[in-house]
Each structure stands twice: as C-alpha cells, then as structure tokens.
C-alpha cells in the first residue's frame, strides 16, 4: 500500500533503483527515451538547506506512444510514494522543458541524449524569452 513517503526518501529510493538497473528496465518496458527528476526534491538533494519538498517531480520523454499512467504506477511502486508529479517534456512549453532538463538525469536510451536535450531546452528557453516578456507587457496593458 502506498503512503505519502517523504519526497526526499522517495528520490533516494529512485536513485538507488537507477543504480541497480531497475529504472532502466522500467523505462525500456514503457518506451521511455529520457527520465529524470527536477524541482524541489532535486534541489534539496543538492542543497540540504533548500526548502523541504512536498512532492517528487519526474520528467519524461517518450519514444512514441505515451504510457504515462503505467509509468506513474511503476514509479509509485518503486518509490513507495504517491506524491509524484509527472511532466511529459515532449512538445511541452519551453519553461517546463528547461526546468525538466535542469534536474538529475536517471535514464537515457541513447548515450548523450540527456545532455543533448538539456542544451536544446535551455537554448529554446533563451530564444523565446523575448516573447514571454512581450506577453507580460501586453497583459500589463
């Protein structure tokens, strides 16, 4: 039975599962191209003085068909955590893509895939910054 496992403990379980090869098997089963963690739990692992997280943010990119619910169920079982937010980065807004790829990479189907997508996401974020600024100016009226 799942419980609201602390997101830091859940992330530690996920990191251990990645080290043991369990994450690789899960990702291959569900057609995952890239998988990582980001957000407050990832920041807290890097800096224990950072605010405590309320959930575990997981980023994913699929090869084709999206198996979001199946992947989420496996992640919940693997981490014993029911406070997981799954962010599908395929075609996502540049802000989400940049945030999702600035986390901790756990799985890449092809070697170098995480770094390549990370650079592309950050470049897209930079290249669209002026459009976000124009939107804000238009909303301010």
């Amino acid at each position: 039975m799942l419980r609201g496992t602390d997101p830091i403990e859940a992330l530690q379980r996920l990191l251990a599962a990645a080290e043991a090869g369990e994450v690789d098997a899960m990702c291959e089963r569900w057609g995952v191209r890239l998988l990582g963690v980001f957000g407050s739990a990832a920041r807290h692992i890097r800096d224990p003085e950072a605010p405590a997280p309320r959930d575990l943010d997981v980023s994913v990119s699929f090869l084709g068909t999206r198996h979001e619910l199946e992947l989420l169920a496996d992640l919940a079982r693997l981490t014993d955590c029911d406070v997981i937010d799954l962010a599908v980065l395929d075609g996502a807004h540049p802000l989400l893509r940049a945030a999702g790829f600035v986390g901790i990479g756990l799985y890449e189907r092809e070697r170098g895939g995480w770094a390549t997508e990370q650079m592309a996401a950050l470049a897209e974020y930079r290249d669209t910054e002026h459009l976000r600024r124009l939107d804000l100016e238009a909303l301010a009226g």
Side-chain angles (χ1 to χ4, degrees), residues 58-113:
V58 177
S59 57
V60 63
S61 174
F62 289 100
L63 288 167
T65 303
R66 295 179 177 182
H67 296 279
E68 297 170 47
L69 295 178
E70 296 89 343
L71 177 63
L72 190 55
D74 274 0
L75 286 166
R77 278 191 294 277
L78 197 60
T79 61
D80 195 27
C81 181
D82 59 2
V83 289
I84 299 173
D85 286 340
L86 187 64
V88 178
L89 301 180
D90 303 313
H93 189 280
L95 292 174
L96 180 58
R97 285 182 45 77
F101 282 119
V102 174
I104 301 168
L106 297 175
Y107 173 82
E108 56 185 5
R109 190 162 192 95
E110 293 180 15
R111 187 176 181 162

Side-chain angles (χ1 to χ4, degrees), residues 2 10-11 14 21 28 30 41 56 64-65 79 87 95-96 98-99 113 128 132 138:
L2 292 177
L11 178 52
L14 192 54
E28 289 168 15
W30 301 121
L56 179 61
T65 303
T79 61
L95 292 174
L96 180 58
T128 58
R132 289 188 301 280

Side-chain angles (χ1 to χ4, degrees), residues 1-3 5-20 22-23 45 56 75-81 106:
M1 178 171 165
L2 292 177
R3 63 190 200 293
T5 299
D6 174 65
I8 295 300
E9 183 181 331
L11 178 52
Q12 290 169 339
R13 288 180 184 189
L14 192 54
L15 292 170
E19 187 70 29
E22 293 175 73
V23 169
I45 287 286
L56 179 61
L75 286 166
R77 278 191 294 277
L78 197 60
T79 61
D80 195 27
C81 181
L106 297 175

Side-chain angles (χ1 to χ4, degrees), residues 130-141:
H130 72 283
L131 296 173
R132 289 188 301 280
R133 193 171 36 252
L134 288 173
D135 283 345
L136 289 174
E137 289 172 7
L139 288 172

Side-chain angles (χ1 to χ4, degrees), residues 110-124:
E110 293 180 15
R111 187 176 181 162
W114 183 266
T116 300
E117 286 295 322
Q118 185 180 54
M119 288 184 289
L122 292 173
E124 181 183 25

